[in-house]
Amino acid sequence: MMLQGPGFPSNSLISVKYLSWGLRILASLILLQSLIYKFGGHPDSILLFTKLGVEPLGRLGLGIIELVVAILILYPKTTLLGGILGVFIMAGALFTHFFLIGIIFNNDGGKLFGLAVICFLSCIGQVIILKNQLISYIKNRYVI
């Protein structure tokens, strides 16, 4: 499977635009579906955040942050910012799984961990696709 766009050969099969939208939708769907559990007060969500010692403010606060990030990822002018924030949020989720709650939480078979990995990789993909935009911003902002 080859890509096309800046930095990719012109005879590619998949446009970077379509790949970008696919990754954006995937990450946003994962973030948005978790809101049902966080805002709905699902027992598993309450158990998780209680185990972390941040229930209910941590659950609701993270839910609000994830909602904002999902919107940022979907809006083209803020996709890069949303992707960067998504990488940090999902890195925190992965850290939590690795060191605090385990890969398998409450007999979920690792589903929650798997969704975090997929969302993390989708956000990293966005940052990689938009790396030139990030480099340009840094050069214009911080280089004299």
Side-chain angles (χ1 to χ4, degrees), residues 132-144:
N132 291 337
Q133 185 182 13
L134 179 61
I135 291 167
S136 175
Y137 173 79
I138 292 170
K139 281 183 180 179
N140 291 333
R141 178 85 174 166
Y142 297 106
V143 177
I144 299 173

PDB file of all heavy atoms in Angstrom, residues 132-144:
ATOM      1  N   ASN A 132       5.056  18.556   8.796  1.00  0.00           N
ATOM      2  CA  ASN A 132       5.556  19.759   8.120  1.00  0.00           C
ATOM      3  C   ASN A 132       4.868  21.011   8.649  1.00  0.00           C
ATOM      4  O   ASN A 132       5.490  22.065   8.767  1.00  0.00           O
ATOM      5  CB  ASN A 132       5.378  19.639   6.605  1.00  0.00           C
ATOM      6  CG  ASN A 132       6.291  18.590   6.014  1.00  0.00           C
ATOM      7  OD1 ASN A 132       7.319  18.245   6.604  1.00  0.00           O
ATOM      8  ND2 ASN A 132       5.930  18.064   4.859  1.00  0.00           N
ATOM      9  N   GLN A 133       3.587  20.890   8.950  1.00  0.00           N
ATOM     10  CA  GLN A 133       2.854  22.011   9.532  1.00  0.00           C
ATOM     11  C   GLN A 133       3.429  22.355  10.915  1.00  0.00           C
ATOM     12  O   GLN A 133       3.606  23.524  11.245  1.00  0.00           O
ATOM     13  CB  GLN A 133       1.373  21.638   9.646  1.00  0.00           C
ATOM     14  CG  GLN A 133       0.473  22.738  10.114  1.00  0.00           C
ATOM     15  CD  GLN A 133      -0.970  22.275  10.241  1.00  0.00           C
ATOM     16  OE1 GLN A 133      -1.278  21.087  10.214  1.00  0.00           O
ATOM     17  NE2 GLN A 133      -1.865  23.229  10.380  1.00  0.00           N
ATOM     18  N   LEU A 134       3.760  21.348  11.690  1.00  0.00           N
ATOM     19  CA  LEU A 134       4.344  21.558  13.013  1.00  0.00           C
ATOM     20  C   LEU A 134       5.732  22.190  12.906  1.00  0.00           C
ATOM     21  O   LEU A 134       6.041  23.153  13.611  1.00  0.00           O
ATOM     22  CB  LEU A 134       4.427  20.222  13.765  1.00  0.00           C
ATOM     23  CG  LEU A 134       5.046  20.251  15.155  1.00  0.00           C
ATOM     24  CD1 LEU A 134       4.247  21.155  16.083  1.00  0.00           C
ATOM     25  CD2 LEU A 134       5.120  18.836  15.722  1.00  0.00           C
ATOM     26  N   ILE A 135       6.553  21.676  12.017  1.00  0.00           N
ATOM     27  CA  ILE A 135       7.906  22.220  11.829  1.00  0.00           C
ATOM     28  C   ILE A 135       7.840  23.670  11.375  1.00  0.00           C
ATOM     29  O   ILE A 135       8.576  24.532  11.875  1.00  0.00           O
ATOM     30  CB  ILE A 135       8.700  21.350  10.830  1.00  0.00           C
ATOM     31  CG1 ILE A 135       8.995  19.988  11.460  1.00  0.00           C
ATOM     32  CG2 ILE A 135       9.990  22.038  10.399  1.00  0.00           C
ATOM     33  CD1 ILE A 135       9.501  18.949  10.482  1.00  0.00           C
ATOM     34  N   SER A 136       6.934  23.974  10.451  1.00  0.00           N
ATOM     35  CA  SER A 136       6.772  25.337   9.961  1.00  0.00           C
ATOM     36  C   SER A 136       6.354  26.273  11.094  1.00  0.00           C
ATOM     37  O   SER A 136       6.868  27.388  11.221  1.00  0.00           O
ATOM     38  CB  SER A 136       5.736  25.359   8.840  1.00  0.00           C
ATOM     39  OG  SER A 136       5.470  26.664   8.430  1.00  0.00           O
ATOM     40  N   TYR A 137       5.434  25.824  11.928  1.00  0.00           N
ATOM     41  CA  TYR A 137       4.979  26.638  13.049  1.00  0.00           C
ATOM     42  C   TYR A 137       6.131  26.935  14.008  1.00  0.00           C
ATOM     43  O   TYR A 137       6.327  28.067  14.442  1.00  0.00           O
ATOM     44  CB  TYR A 137       3.838  25.941  13.797  1.00  0.00           C
ATOM     45  CG  TYR A 137       3.440  26.667  15.060  1.00  0.00           C
ATOM     46  CD1 TYR A 137       2.632  27.797  14.994  1.00  0.00           C
ATOM     47  CD2 TYR A 137       3.892  26.251  16.304  1.00  0.00           C
ATOM     48  CE1 TYR A 137       2.279  28.485  16.139  1.00  0.00           C
ATOM     49  CE2 TYR A 137       3.542  26.924  17.460  1.00  0.00           C
ATOM     50  CZ  TYR A 137       2.738  28.042  17.369  1.00  0.00           C
ATOM     51  OH  TYR A 137       2.398  28.729  18.502  1.00  0.00           O
ATOM     52  N   ILE A 138       6.903  25.899  14.328  1.00  0.00           N
ATOM     53  CA  ILE A 138       8.025  26.074  15.259  1.00  0.00           C
ATOM     54  C   ILE A 138       9.065  27.032  14.678  1.00  0.00           C
ATOM     55  O   ILE A 138       9.558  27.918  15.374  1.00  0.00           O
ATOM     56  CB  ILE A 138       8.654  24.713  15.613  1.00  0.00           C
ATOM     57  CG1 ILE A 138       7.663  23.892  16.451  1.00  0.00           C
ATOM     58  CG2 ILE A 138       9.972  24.893  16.356  1.00  0.00           C
ATOM     59  CD1 ILE A 138       8.070  22.456  16.656  1.00  0.00           C
ATOM     60  N   LYS A 139       9.381  26.865  13.391  1.00  0.00           N
ATOM     61  CA  LYS A 139      10.365  27.754  12.765  1.00  0.00           C
ATOM     62  C   LYS A 139       9.885  29.197  12.766  1.00  0.00           C
ATOM     63  O   LYS A 139      10.646  30.112  13.085  1.00  0.00           O
ATOM     64  CB  LYS A 139      10.638  27.307  11.315  1.00  0.00           C
ATOM     65  CG  LYS A 139      11.560  26.138  11.221  1.00  0.00           C
ATOM     66  CD  LYS A 139      11.825  25.809   9.768  1.00  0.00           C
ATOM     67  CE  LYS A 139      12.753  24.630   9.624  1.00  0.00           C
ATOM     68  NZ  LYS A 139      12.993  24.301   8.219  1.00  0.00           N
ATOM     69  N   ASN A 140       8.639  29.433  12.386  1.00  0.00           N
ATOM     70  CA  ASN A 140       8.105  30.801  12.329  1.00  0.00           C
ATOM     71  C   ASN A 140       7.961  31.417  13.703  1.00  0.00           C
ATOM     72  O   ASN A 140       8.088  32.627  13.858  1.00  0.00           O
ATOM     73  CB  ASN A 140       6.761  30.815  11.607  1.00  0.00           C
ATOM     74  CG  ASN A 140       6.913  30.526  10.130  1.00  0.00           C
ATOM     75  OD1 ASN A 140       7.954  30.780   9.532  1.00  0.00           O
ATOM     76  ND2 ASN A 140       5.878  29.967   9.541  1.00  0.00           N
ATOM     77  N   ARG A 141       7.695  30.609  14.689  1.00  0.00           N
ATOM     78  CA  ARG A 141       7.437  31.120  16.024  1.00  0.00           C
ATOM     79  C   ARG A 141       8.699  31.336  16.847  1.00  0.00           C
ATOM     80  O   ARG A 141       8.790  32.292  17.597  1.00  0.00           O
ATOM     81  CB  ARG A 141       6.509  30.132  16.740  1.00  0.00           C
ATOM     82  CG  ARG A 141       6.165  30.453  18.136  1.00  0.00           C
ATOM     83  CD  ARG A 141       5.009  31.385  18.219  1.00  0.00           C
ATOM     84  NE  ARG A 141       4.670  31.532  19.630  1.00  0.00           N
ATOM     85  CZ  ARG A 141       3.884  32.466  20.059  1.00  0.00           C
ATOM     86  NH1 ARG A 141       3.335  33.284  19.223  1.00  0.00           N
ATOM     87  NH2 ARG A 141       3.629  32.578  21.318  1.00  0.00           N
ATOM     88  N   TYR A 142       9.677  30.446  16.707  1.00  0.00           N
ATOM     89  CA  TYR A 142      10.808  30.452  17.639  1.00  0.00           C
ATOM     90  C   TYR A 142      12.167  30.715  17.012  1.00  0.00           C
ATOM     91  O   TYR A 142      13.141  30.862  17.721  1.00  0.00           O
ATOM     92  CB  TYR A 142      10.845  29.134  18.410  1.00  0.00           C
ATOM     93  CG  TYR A 142       9.607  28.968  19.263  1.00  0.00           C
ATOM     94  CD1 TYR A 142       8.621  28.068  18.891  1.00  0.00           C
ATOM     95  CD2 TYR A 142       9.424  29.722  20.400  1.00  0.00           C
ATOM     96  CE1 TYR A 142       7.473  27.921  19.655  1.00  0.00           C
ATOM     97  CE2 TYR A 142       8.295  29.586  21.169  1.00  0.00           C
ATOM     98  CZ  TYR A 142       7.319  28.684  20.792  1.00  0.00           C
ATOM     99  OH  TYR A 142       6.199  28.553  21.550  1.00  0.00           O
ATOM    100  N   VAL A 143      12.268  30.736  15.694  1.00  0.00           N
ATOM    101  CA  VAL A 143      13.560  30.983  15.054  1.00  0.00           C
ATOM    102  C   VAL A 143      13.629  32.452  14.654  1.00  0.00           C
ATOM    103  O   VAL A 143      12.724  32.996  14.065  1.00  0.00           O
ATOM    104  CB  VAL A 143      13.756  30.077  13.807  1.00  0.00           C
ATOM    105  CG1 VAL A 143      15.050  30.406  13.122  1.00  0.00           C
ATOM    106  CG2 VAL A 143      13.715  28.625  14.242  1.00  0.00           C
ATOM    107  N   ILE A 144      14.734  33.078  15.006  1.00  0.00           N
ATOM    108  CA  ILE A 144      14.892  34.516  14.730  1.00  0.00           C
ATOM    109  C   ILE A 144      15.317  34.728  13.298  1.00  0.00           C
ATOM    110  O   ILE A 144      16.076  34.079  12.716  1.00  0.00           O
ATOM    111  CB  ILE A 144      15.922  35.142  15.698  1.00  0.00           C
ATOM    112  CG1 ILE A 144      15.420  34.992  17.124  1.00  0.00           C
ATOM    113  CG2 ILE A 144      16.192  36.584  15.348  1.00  0.00           C
ATOM    114  CD1 ILE A 144      16.418  35.423  18.174  1.00  0.00           C
TER     115      ILE A 144
END
